Amino acid sequence: VLQNVRFSYDGQREVLQDITITIPEHGFIGIVGESGSGKSTIASLLMGRNTVKSGQLTLGGREIGEISEESLMKTITYIGFGSVFFKGTVRQNLALAMAEADEGRMWETLERCRLSAFLKEQNGLDTPLLENAANLSGGQKQRLALARAILHDTPVYIFDEATSNIDIESEEAILTQIRELTGQKTVIMISHRLANVAGADWIYCLEQGRMAESGKHEELLAKNGVYAGLWRTQEALERYGKEMDDEEAVEA
């Protein structure tokens, strides 16, 4: 629960202004808004990376400042756009997420994330990774980050723009796994793309650090406010993009 939270990085300009959000256990919550609206700042507060100066943030009824970093790491898994990998093998990077390395679980999870076929054509779990997995495509890297996150098996998952700028196959693979996690885990999905959170139990829409509105997808569209405006804009852009693709296909 975030209650009347205000936050500033420099002590002057408030990035978050009087934000109140409730995230129920096993809920699927969407946090949306344009770039710079404060979405990722909320994730950083939930992860304990930044400290609430004004208002209250509790996890399981406890003030987040009273919870150790180790406990937070065992409770929350964060998957962002720029996931970090270490130079080594796929096995070593996946093992970081597990108390005991289990090859069977690794392969099962890689299959779910649509990476097993590719890795079997390489050196399997011993496929080498360059620093930050520079030898993988952006989509493969995100799918590997998702596999590691699933293996971490925490009660809470935060997906912060985890499907940005990747191929359609990888995006669909990641969204499928997010849908499978919902109901079993508490899932917080931060996204500028509204279609990704349309099925959420509840959606919070930010605008310039303030809570513009909140509700279910259909309710927010009916309000014809900030969320509905963003939805119409994105639909128009995607429709235009599809028309351009169709024209290029005809010309080819």
Side-chain angles (χ1 to χ4, degrees):
V1 176
L2 291 86
Q3 187 69 42
N4 303 120
V5 169
R6 293 176 175 272
F7 181 79
S8 171
Y9 287 103
D10 59 10
Q12 297 179 7
R13 187 178 73 86
E14 286 192 329
V15 181
L16 297 177
Q17 304 171 50
D18 200 30
I19 297 296
T20 295
I21 292 176
T22 299
I23 302 166
E25 186 176 13
H26 296 166
F28 176 23
I29 300 300
I31 300 177
V32 302
E34 294 183 321
S35 295
S37 61
K39 305 185 300 296
S40 292
T41 299
I42 290 174
S44 75
L45 294 175
L46 292 170
M47 292 292 295
R49 294 173 181 169
N50 287 296
T51 305
V52 173
K53 298 294 195 301
S54 176
Q56 188 178 48
L57 171 54
T58 58
L59 178 62
R62 292 179 60 193
E63 287 273 3
I64 196 162
E66 299 173 358
I67 303 172
S68 69
E69 183 180 1
E70 183 182 3
S71 293
L72 278 175
M73 293 291 286
K74 290 179 178 177
T75 304
I76 303 173
T77 297
Y78 173 90
I79 308 97
F81 170 66
S83 298
V84 175
F85 292 93
F86 300 98
K87 187 176 181 179
T89 64
V90 169
R91 183 199 309 274
Q92 290 168 331
N93 275 271
L94 291 179
L96 293 172
M98 308 173 71
E100 295 181 11
D102 181 331
E103 285 196 13
R105 278 188 63 205
M106 286 182 184
W107 278 117
E108 178 188 350
T109 307
L110 290 167
E111 177 69 31
R112 287 171 59 183
C113 297
R114 302 183 197 172
L115 264 179
S116 61
F118 166 75
L119 290 173
K120 285 174 181 176
E121 292 175 353
Q122 308 299 313
N123 292 324
L125 294 174
D126 294 317
T127 299
L129 294 179
L130 298 178
E131 187 174 347
N132 222 21
N135 53 323
L136 299 183
S137 70
Q140 289 169 335
K141 183 176 173 179
Q142 279 303 89
R143 281 181 274 159
L144 186 59
L146 177 64
R148 185 174 60 185
I150 291 172
L151 289 169
H152 196 209
D153 195 23
T154 56
V156 181
Y157 282 83
I158 300 175
F159 295 92
D160 186 2
E161 301 290 7
T163 60
S164 294
N165 300 320
I166 58 176
D167 58 277
I168 294 173
E169 179 188 0
S170 294
E171 181 179 31
E172 185 51 42
I174 291 170
L175 291 174
T176 297
Q177 290 310 307
I178 291 173
R179 286 190 285 267
E180 288 194 10
L181 286 172
T182 59
Q184 306 172 46
K185 307 289 186 178
T186 302
V187 176
I188 303 159
M189 189 164 187
I190 297 169
S191 180
H192 70 278
R193 189 162 185 261
L194 306 189
N196 290 346
V197 300
D201 301 327
W202 201 259
I203 300 168
Y204 292 93
C205 181
L206 301 180
E207 184 181 42
Q208 297 181 351
R210 294 182 179 275
M211 186 62 66
E213 52 198 356
S214 67
K216 292 181 179 292
H217 171 70
E218 295 298 338
E219 295 171 352
L220 291 172
L221 288 183
K223 286 182 180 179
N224 203 29
V226 175
Y227 181 91
L230 290 172
W231 179 266
R232 286 194 299 269
T233 299
Q234 290 183 14
E235 272 199 322
L237 286 171
E238 290 185 12
R239 188 163 55 247
Y240 175 75
K242 185 176 184 303
E243 288 171 357
M244 292 297 291
D245 289 342
D246 291 342
E247 284 182 17
E248 289 177 4
V250 170
E251 289 175 3

